[in-house]
Amino acid sequence: MNEPKVAGTSPCQVDLEAGKKYAFCTCGLSEAQPFCDGRHKGTGFTPTVFQADESKTAFFCACKKTANAPNCDGSHNQLKDS
Ligand code: FES
């Protein structure tokens, strides 16, 4: 698997809790988007693990084309146009 699967063409709204760790799915195969559920095994992809520094609502990338993971950077708009 060289390219991640496009899991969605709009960002996922998530409520983050300060101090909690999260694993962002980078392969696009997870059925618990935008978070990893272990389905990346054998693909060469690994989740991006991070700790939320504050409690807030965020918009995470579902198309897996963002250059600012785990956050949406608007790259999904180019997919819709192509
Ligand atoms: S399921 Fe996609 S990175 Fe784990």
Side-chain angles (χ1 to χ4, degrees), residues 3 9 11-12 16 25-27 29 33 41 44 47-51 57 59 61 63 65 68 70-71 73 79 81:
E3 291 290 321
T9 53
C12 301
L16 302 177
C25 170
T26 59
C27 72
L29 298 177
Q33 292 297 327
K41 286 196 175 87
T48 298
V49 178
F50 67 97
Q51 187 169 11
T57 298
F59 292 89
C61 175
C63 74
K65 304 291 185 190
N68 188 29
N71 299 295
D73 71 353
L79 294 175
D81 293 342

Side-chain angles (χ1 to χ4, degrees), residues 24-30 36-40 45-47:
F24 172 72
C25 170
T26 59
C27 72
L29 298 177
S30 173
C36 172
D37 70 356
R39 283 183 167 76
H40 62 268
F45 286 85
T46 55

